Amino acid sequence: MKSNEPGLPIVFVHGMRVSGTMWRPAIQALGERHPLAAPDLPGHGQRRGEPFSMPGAVAAVVEAVDQLGGRALLVGLSLGGYAPLPPPQSTRTGSSA
């Protein structure tokens, strides 16, 4: 689900066992003022035949942001709040010989 109007881009990311259509009321309310996207993550909605993976979910969010110009406000519910986060950096210290 996508809108192409002027304003701050927003990407809505759904949680587990739902799809991007869960954001329809928000998209209807904001679509005239903002470019919006609500992608389906792998394994959900129109992509339910695909296996779910976190790399696939991150790729779906990155693709939606890229389609809106490369920068966007991210709004997520449950898994959708976690999927856009960058992977943690290693916290290993010391050296190996």
Side-chain angles (χ1 to χ4, degrees), residues 8-97:
L8 173 69
I10 304 172
V11 175
F12 294 95
V13 188
H14 64 80
M16 290 294 279
R17 303 181 60 97
V18 293
S19 69
T21 60
M22 71 165 282
W23 298 107
R24 187 171 287 138
I27 287 183
Q28 289 172 340
L30 298 171
E32 292 184 20
R33 297 182 305 242
H34 301 272
L36 306 171
D40 286 333
L41 301 180
H44 298 80
Q46 293 188 11
R47 298 181 65 183
R48 70 178 148 244
E50 300 175 34
F52 176 80
S53 71
M54 281 307 291
V58 170
V61 173
V62 168
E63 181 180 346
V65 171
D66 286 347
Q67 289 178 354
L68 295 177
R71 290 189 63 159
L73 173 67
L74 301 176
V75 178
L77 170 71
S78 185
L79 169 70
Y82 177 75
L85 296 176
Q89 299 298 314
S90 172
T91 57
R92 281 182 52 182
T93 59
S95 62
S96 60

